[in-house]
């Protein structure tokens, strides 16, 4: 092979094309000698090829040591030209070689043809400044190296002497240090690629300081561990001496009596065979320990936990369906569907007598609607014990499964703790706020609950602290959640969701009269005075002082009024059977906190009233549209989410397909910018149910026909104008009723949800099902107005749009 030569150290010339020897986890520096074992076919071929090039080879490092058969892209291009000093075959077919680095070089191109890699080699020119700053850097590095060498016992004396001897040359000194430094391969490769010797030495100095800190920390840790071991041995020796002294003095009698008591409980308590055998083994270990040792305390605590659990202790179910119905109706107002499902659940359990085989109920709904109290009522109806575990904020798996006994202060998880507290193996077990669990480095508590709530697995539930099979299938598990979408899918699949959608205003009024007011009268000592709340006052509190789906806030406001009435009672200012009116509510609670939503006073152009669902119930949602000369841009504001923005795009696309039918130019959007705004911009809004509302407001603005003010609407729209079903119809209709609206447009596919709406509300309003957007326009804009608009546009070519007054006279 004819190749151009390049100059190496000492004026020697080396061929420009050399065989390549790839190394794993090794970086070869100039003036560094290394013994290597070579076994890969390409590497052996490279050694044989090196003989033809004067025993010269380009040594490079692989980017990843895991690659057994590297390609040129797997290799660093910067390496060192090395001389092959020794090449000895081994019995297993590998080669033992000794190579010496000559100078830095770079592979301009690596060729993969032939038995080995070959590279076009370019020498990397060294920059070795010789000034005062460089000598000062060498002196500082030499001082740090002395400290590093004293801490690093793996450095041989020969290496230390060689490095010290090379300190006169900044280039050789930096290379010697880099070769013997305990650094990452990436850092060493970066040092090899650096041509400036002073910069290289600065990087070496930085890496050496890091290694010194690590070595010093390791030394402190070793010293601390050694002291702790010496202290533990000393304590063991002293404890043994103390045990011998106590034995001589007879003071172990109390410990022996405690052991005898534990042994009696182990044999007499109704525990499982596995648990009994485990306790016997632990007791035998305990007898061999000093009573003062920490291990003895751990063992005693473990045995106490095992023998105190209700392994076979149960309460007898007393399920009477009629009594259960009366109890639920007495303690909870409304919630008809929920109470029906609970009665079904109890009836099936009574007939089958198989506790734990049924579904796991999940009561899902907003705060304050009675989820926890419903679970208590189930316990009362069945005659079982009731235990509640709050899972809000739980992020440690050990909270469910317990800690292993190897940890200091280990305890069983919440499941076992609650069963011990209940003293029964079949309580009604409420897992409250199951959607509020979190996950971090300590594990996933939701995954741990999969075993607890699965009837196929919970017969052999294993707590890490007990390390025994415990049967929790007799428990009647009930869970609660505010947002079921926050529950992990595998866990949600094991639950039967029962939705509590929140109370209507009429239900809140009845709950206040039947439950909350008598309870607060009793709590504040007003039962004898018996003041009376007018219905108007209760409704005023509900509308103007609370904003919730449940009744907790209502209960707090009534309690506040009752406390002020108690003060008046003591001051002799409260008349017997005093009547609390709206004016009295304002006097005692102050100015109203919330503005009641009301219908628009008149029909307006470009403004439509939509209906939205929130966790606090239904609410009105105004949609405003303005059109102005522009270039076809659609803007949606009001802190709306992605789904709602997509609904606006779908509404506009439907409008463009119906432009000519509506008397608009098919190119109207090219000359107009449309701005859709949903007021109350500080409140996030999302969901598809505002689709027909936005479409109606846009068509009203473009046709200059006002939308009827007594009408609200909800429904999703697709590109063909079809009105698709939505959720939360009951809450939305109740919001429209509160605001004084007379008509509500809703998707025809939601007719099935009308039975959930109170009859009083259905009779007071006109609920209109629709299937297509054309029906919505006829109802919202009026057939006569649409016909007049089309008559005005008939025969004329509409090329633009001029906004006019936004209010119809």
């Amino acid at each position: 092979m004819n190749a151009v030569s390049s100059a190496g150290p000492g004026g020697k010339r080396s061929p420009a094309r050399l065989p390549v020897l790839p190394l794993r986890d090794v970086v070869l520096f100039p003036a560094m000698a290394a013994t290597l074992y070579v076994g890969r076919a390409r590497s052996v071929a490279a050694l044989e090829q090196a003989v033809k090039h004067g025993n010269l080879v380009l040594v490079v490092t692989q980017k990843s040591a895991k690659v057994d058969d590297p390609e040129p892209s797997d290799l660093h291009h910067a390496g060192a030209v090395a001389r092959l000093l020794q090449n000895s075959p081994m019995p297993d077919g590998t080669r033992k070689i000794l190579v010496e680095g000559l100078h830095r070089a770079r592979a301009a191109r690596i060729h993969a043809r032939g038995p080995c890699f070959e590279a076009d080699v370019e020498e990397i020119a060294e920059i070795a400044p010789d000034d005062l700053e460089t000598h000062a850097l060498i002196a500082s590095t030499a001082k740090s190296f002395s400290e590093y060498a004293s801490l690093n016992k793996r450095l041989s004396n020969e290496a230390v002497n060689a490095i010290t001897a090379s300190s006169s040359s900044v280039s050789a000194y930096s290379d010697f240090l880099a070769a013997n430094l305990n650094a990452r391969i990436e850092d060493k490769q970066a040092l090899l690629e650096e041509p400036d010797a002073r910069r290289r030495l600065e990087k070496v100095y930085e890496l050496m300081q890091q290694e010194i800190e690590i070595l010093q920390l390791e030394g402190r840790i070793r010293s601390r561990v050694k002291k702790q071991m010496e202290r533990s041995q000393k304590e063991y020796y002293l404890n043994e001496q103390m045990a011998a002294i106590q034995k001589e003095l007879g003071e172990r009698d109390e410990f022996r009596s405690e052991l005898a008591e534990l042994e009696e409980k182990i044999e007499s308590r109704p525990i499982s065979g596995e648990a009994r055998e485990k306790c016997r083994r632990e007791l035998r270990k305990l007898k061999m320990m000093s009573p003062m040792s920490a291990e003895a305390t751990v063992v005693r605590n473990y045995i106490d936990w095992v023998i105190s659990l209700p392994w076979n202790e149960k309460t007898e179910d007393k399920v009477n369906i009629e009594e259960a119905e009366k109890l639920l109706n007495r303690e909870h107002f409304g919630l008809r569907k929920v109470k029906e499902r609970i009665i079904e659940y109890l009836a099936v359990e009574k007939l089958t007598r198989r506790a734990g085989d049924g579904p796991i109920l999940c009561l899902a709904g907003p705060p304050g609607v009675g989820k926890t109290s419903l679970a208590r009522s189930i316990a009362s109806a069945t005659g079982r014990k009731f235990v509640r575990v709050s899972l809000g904020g739980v992020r440690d798996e050990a909270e469910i499964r317990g800690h292993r006994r190897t940890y200091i202060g280990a305890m069983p998880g919440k499941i076992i703790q609650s069963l011990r507290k209940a003293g029964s193996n079949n309580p009604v077990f409420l897992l409250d706020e199951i959607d509020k669990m979190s996950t971090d480095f300590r594990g996933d508590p939701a995954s741990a609950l999969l075993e607890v709530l699965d009837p196929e697995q919970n017969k052999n539930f294993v707590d890490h602290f007990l390390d025994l099979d415990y049967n929790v299938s007799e428990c009647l598990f009930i869970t609660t959640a505010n947002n079921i979408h926050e529950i992990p899918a595998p866990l949600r699949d094991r639950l039967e969701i029962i939705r509590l959608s929140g109370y209507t205003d009429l239900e809140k009024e009845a709950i206040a009269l039947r439950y909350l007011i008598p309870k607060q009268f009793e709590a504040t000592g007003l039962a004898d005075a018996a003041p009376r709340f007018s219905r108007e006052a209760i409704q005023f509190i509900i509308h103007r002082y609370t904003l919730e789906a449940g009744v907790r806030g209502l209960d707090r406001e009534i309690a506040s009024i009752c406390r002020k009435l108690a003060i008046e009672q003591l001051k002799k200012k409260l008349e017997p059977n005093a009547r609390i009116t709206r004016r009295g509510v304002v006097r005692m609670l102050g100015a109203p906190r919330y503005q009641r939503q009301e219908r628009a006073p008149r029909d307006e152009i470009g403004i439509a009233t939509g209906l939205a669902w929130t966790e606090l119930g239904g609410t009105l949602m105004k949609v405003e549209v303005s059109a102005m000369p522009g270039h076809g841009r659609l803007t949606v504001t009001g802190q709306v989410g992605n789904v709602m923005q997509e609904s606006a795009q779908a509404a506009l696309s439907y409008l463009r397909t119906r432009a000519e039918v509506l008397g608009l130019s098919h190119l109207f959007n090219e000359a107009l910018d449309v701005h859709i705004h949903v007021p109350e911009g500080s409140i996030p809004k999302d969901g598809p149910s505002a689709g027909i509302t936005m479409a109606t407001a846009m068509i009203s603005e473009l046709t200059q026909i006002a939308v009827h003010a007594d009408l609200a609407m909800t429904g999703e729209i697709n590109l063909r104008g079809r009105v698709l079903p939505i959720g939360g119809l009951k809450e939305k209709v109740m919001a429209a009723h509160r605001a004084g609206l007379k008509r509500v447009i809703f998707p025809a596919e939601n007719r099935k949800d009308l039975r959930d709406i109170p009859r009083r509300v259905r009779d007071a309003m006109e609920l209109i099902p629709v299937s297509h957007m054309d029906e919505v326009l006829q109802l919202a804009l009026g057939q006569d107005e649409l016909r007049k608009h089309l008559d005005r546009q008939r025969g004329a070519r509409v090329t633009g749009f001029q906004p006019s007054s936004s209010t119809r006279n």
Side-chain angles (χ1 to χ4, degrees):
M1 178 187 304
N2 296 324
V4 182
S5 298
S6 62
K12 294 182 180 179
R13 311 288 288 181
S14 59
R17 176 169 290 191
L18 291 176
V20 177
L21 177 63
L23 301 182
R24 289 192 279 198
D25 288 334
V26 176
V27 177
L28 185 70
F29 287 85
M32 171 185 171
T35 301
L36 304 172
Y37 291 88
V38 177
R40 293 185 288 190
R42 285 185 182 271
S43 299
V44 173
L47 297 178
E48 294 172 354
Q49 192 71 16
V51 177
K52 302 176 183 179
H53 295 275
N55 287 329
L56 294 180
V57 65
L58 177 64
V59 178
V60 297
T61 305
Q62 291 182 197
K63 296 177 181 178
S64 173
K66 297 179 181 179
V67 179
D68 287 324
D69 189 15
E71 296 296 329
S73 59
D74 297 324
L75 306 177
H76 288 289
H77 281 230
V81 173
R83 178 179 289 108
L84 191 61
L85 301 179
Q86 183 180 343
N87 185 359
S88 305
M90 302 297 290
D92 58 355
T94 62
R95 300 287 186 94
K96 177 182 178 182
I97 64 173
L98 177 63
V99 293
E100 178 189 17
L102 299 179
H103 60 83
R104 283 175 170 76
R106 184 184 307 278
R109 183 179 179 185
I110 298 178
H111 305 276
R113 297 187 301 272
C116 67
F117 293 132
E118 291 186 341
D120 298 327
V121 179
E122 298 174 354
E123 182 178 354
I124 299 176
E126 286 271 353
I127 302 173
D130 187 13
D131 52 14
L132 290 176
E133 184 179 350
T134 303
H135 289 289
L137 179 61
I138 293 174
S140 299
T141 309
K143 184 177 179 181
S144 294
F145 176 71
S146 300
E147 184 179 0
Y148 176 75
S150 64
L151 293 172
N152 191 353
K153 305 302 181 185
R154 287 173 290 186
L155 272 178
S156 64
N157 293 330
E158 293 80 6
V160 172
N161 294 333
I163 293 171
T164 305
S166 65
S167 60
S168 59
S169 168
V170 62
S171 178
Y173 190 54
S174 61
D175 285 340
F176 268 109
L177 284 174
N180 290 277
L181 195 63
N182 185 23
R184 298 183 309 162
I185 294 299
E186 294 82 1
D187 293 331
K188 287 192 174 185
Q189 181 65 31
L191 291 172
L192 180 65
E193 294 176 3
E194 176 57 62
D196 191 326
R198 186 164 66 191
R199 291 182 184 175
R200 190 160 66 240
L201 190 57
E202 289 174 353
K203 293 181 181 179
V204 170
Y205 180 79
E206 181 181 345
L207 292 172
M208 191 183 303
Q209 290 297 325
Q210 294 176 4
E211 284 298 311
I212 289 173
E213 291 181 6
I214 293 172
L215 291 171
Q216 288 174 342
L217 180 60
E218 289 177 351
R220 288 196 296 269
I221 292 173
R222 283 196 299 270
S223 176
R224 193 183 308 129
V225 170
K226 182 179 180 181
K227 289 180 181 178
Q228 289 175 350
M229 291 177 62
E230 292 173 353
R231 190 184 305 116
S232 298
Q233 291 173 350
K234 181 179 179 181
E235 288 176 355
Y236 176 80
Y237 178 75
L238 292 176
N239 282 329
E240 290 298 317
Q241 281 189 330
M242 187 179 295
I245 294 171
Q246 288 174 344
K247 185 175 181 180
E248 292 296 327
L249 295 176
E251 293 180 359
R252 292 177 60 92
D253 292 343
E254 183 178 350
F255 182 55
R256 283 198 295 270
S257 64
E258 182 182 352
L259 294 178
E261 183 180 351
L262 283 176
E263 187 170 11
E264 181 183 355
K265 288 181 179 179
I266 291 170
E267 300 302 329
S268 61
R269 291 281 294 170
I271 61 179
S272 69
E274 180 189 11
R276 198 184 310 280
E277 185 58 35
K278 185 73 175 287
C279 287
R280 287 170 180 167
R281 290 200 302 269
E282 295 295 322
L283 185 62
R284 284 196 293 269
K285 289 196 298 185
L286 184 60
K287 290 178 180 179
M288 304 294 293
M289 297 177 185
S290 167
M292 303 298 293
S293 66
E295 183 66 20
T297 303
V298 172
V299 174
R300 277 202 301 268
N301 184 41
Y302 175 79
I303 296 174
D304 284 337
W305 267 104
V306 174
I307 62 180
S308 63
L309 289 174
W311 291 86
N312 295 303
E313 298 173 16
K314 303 178 183 177
T315 54
E316 184 179 352
D317 286 349
K318 299 176 182 178
V319 179
N320 185 305
I321 298 301
E322 291 79 7
E323 290 296 325
E325 285 181 323
K326 290 179 182 178
L327 178 68
L328 290 173
N329 289 327
R330 183 171 65 250
E331 296 185 354
H332 302 276
F333 184 83
L335 306 177
R336 178 179 56 85
K337 280 189 173 183
V338 177
K339 290 189 283 191
E340 284 180 359
R341 181 63 187 89
I342 292 173
I343 294 299
E344 293 170 3
Y345 184 88
L346 297 177
V348 170
E349 185 173 314
K350 182 174 178 63
L351 289 175
T352 59
R353 298 184 181 277
R354 293 197 302 270
D357 288 348
I360 308 298
L361 300 182
C362 178
L363 306 176
V369 296
K371 300 185 293 295
T372 303
S373 59
L374 272 171
R376 291 184 186 276
S377 299
I378 293 174
S380 300
T382 57
R384 296 190 182 196
K385 300 286 185 67
F386 176 77
V387 290
R388 172 182 171 273
V389 171
S390 177
L391 298 176
V394 171
R395 58 180 64 236
D396 189 352
E397 180 191 356
E399 295 279 350
I400 307 298
R401 292 185 180 274
H403 302 81
R404 300 190 186 278
R405 282 193 291 157
T406 52
Y407 297 105
I408 297 174
M411 291 186 66
K414 290 181 178 291
I415 304 298
I416 296 299
Q417 290 183 40
S418 300
L419 289 173
R420 181 188 183 184
K421 180 180 178 181
S424 167
N425 201 30
N426 64 337
V428 172
F429 205 121
L430 177 64
L431 298 171
D432 212 0
E433 309 289 355
I434 198 171
D435 58 325
K436 302 297 189 301
M437 291 184 293
S438 303
T439 301
D440 64 6
F441 64 94
R442 290 168 289 190
D444 184 2
S447 298
L449 277 180
L450 295 177
E451 180 184 5
V452 178
L453 298 180
D454 192 339
E456 299 298 325
Q457 302 180 51
N458 60 13
K459 293 181 176 64
N460 304 106
F461 173 67
V462 177
D463 185 277
H464 289 158
F465 179 82
L466 299 181
D467 198 22
L468 296 168
D469 288 346
Y470 192 93
N471 183 8
V472 296
S473 63
E474 298 289 335
C475 299
L476 200 164
F477 287 104
I478 299 175
T479 65
T480 69
N482 296 133
N483 187 354
I484 61 172
H485 301 292
E486 297 293 331
I487 306 173
L491 184 56
R492 190 168 64 242
D493 184 61
R494 287 163 168 78
L495 307 176
E496 178 178 337
I497 308 296
I498 299 179
R499 298 181 183 274
L500 286 75
S501 58
Y503 297 112
T504 65
D505 293 346
L506 301 177
E507 290 172 337
K508 289 181 181 180
E509 179 184 330
I511 291 170
L513 290 171
R514 295 188 188 185
Y515 303 102
L516 304 183
I517 293 175
K519 181 184 75 171
Q520 293 301 335
F521 281 175
E522 187 70 27
T524 54
L526 293 173
D528 294 335
R532 293 179 294 112
F533 281 77
S534 68
R535 291 183 178 273
E536 180 190 18
I538 295 174
Q539 285 293 336
F540 187 63
I541 297 172
I542 293 171
H543 293 153
R544 305 300 297 276
Y545 290 90
T546 64
L547 185 63
E548 58 178 349
V551 292
R552 283 199 186 123
L554 179 60
D555 190 26
R556 283 193 292 267
E557 300 303 329
I558 292 174
S560 179
I561 292 175
C562 289
R563 289 194 297 270
K564 290 177 173 57
L565 292 174
I567 296 174
E568 294 182 4
Q569 171 81 348
L570 292 175
K571 292 181 177 180
K572 308 299 183 183
K573 295 181 179 180
L574 183 64
E575 298 178 2
N577 298 318
R579 189 166 183 266
I580 311 301
T581 62
R582 176 172 174 169
R583 179 177 298 178
V585 170
V586 175
R587 178 173 58 84
M588 287 182 278
L589 294 182
R593 298 187 187 93
Y594 304 106
Q595 184 67 34
R596 180 175 181 177
Q597 290 184 319
E598 296 181 351
R599 54 165 286 180
R602 58 183 180 272
D603 300 352
E604 293 183 279
I605 293 174
I607 299 179
T609 303
L611 297 170
W613 179 93
T614 69
E615 290 189 357
L616 303 177
T619 183
L620 300 188
M621 182 175 64
K622 298 286 186 181
V623 176
E624 303 175 353
V625 174
S626 290
M628 61 211 78
H631 305 285
R633 183 174 61 183
L634 175 65
T635 304
V636 185
T637 57
Q639 201 174 347
V640 299
N642 292 333
V643 176
M644 201 164 177
Q645 293 190 33
E646 291 170 358
S647 293
Q649 293 283 356
L652 180 60
S653 296
Y654 161 75
L655 176 56
R656 292 176 61 186
T657 62
R658 304 287 288 174
E660 294 188 8
V661 176
L662 295 169
L664 302 173
S665 168
H666 67 282
L667 299 176
F668 77 92
N669 66 301
E670 296 183 1
L672 295 175
D673 285 344
V674 178
H675 186 170
I676 301 176
H677 179 64
V678 186
E680 297 183 357
S682 62
I683 302 174
K685 312 168 190 73
D686 203 5
S689 62
I692 65 171
T693 311
M694 290 189 285
T696 301
M698 276 194 286
I699 294 172
S700 169
E701 175 71 9
L702 294 173
T703 61
Q704 291 293 284
I705 302 175
V707 181
H708 294 321
D710 66 340
L711 180 71
M713 61 188 74
T714 179
E716 182 179 357
I717 186 175
N718 69 2
L719 296 178
R720 302 293 185 271
R722 183 184 168 201
V723 181
L724 305 178
I726 44 84
L729 181 63
K730 173 186 174 183
E731 290 81 3
K732 294 176 180 179
V733 172
M734 293 301 300
H737 180 260
R738 282 197 303 270
L741 293 164
K742 300 300 183 183
R743 296 185 295 163
V744 172
I745 296 175
F746 69 96
E749 294 183 40
N750 283 108
R751 281 196 182 97
K752 63 183 184 303
D753 300 323
L754 291 177
R755 58 188 176 186
D756 297 334
I757 301 171
R759 178 173 293 277
R760 176 178 168 184
V761 176
R762 280 183 286 169
D763 294 341
M765 302 182 70
E766 184 181 0
L767 305 178
I768 310 168
V770 295
S771 300
H772 197 273
M773 191 64 206
D774 292 349
E775 302 173 56
V776 178
L777 296 178
Q778 292 176 8
L779 292 166
L781 304 181
Q783 292 186 8
D784 293 339
E785 295 295 330
L786 283 170
R787 189 177 299 110
K788 290 178 183 178
H789 168 73
L790 293 175
D791 289 341
R792 287 194 300 268
Q793 302 298 330
R794 187 175 292 115
R797 182 178 181 182
V798 179
T799 59
F801 172 70
Q802 297 295 328
S804 62
S805 174
S806 62
T807 303
R808 184 180 69 179
N809 296 323

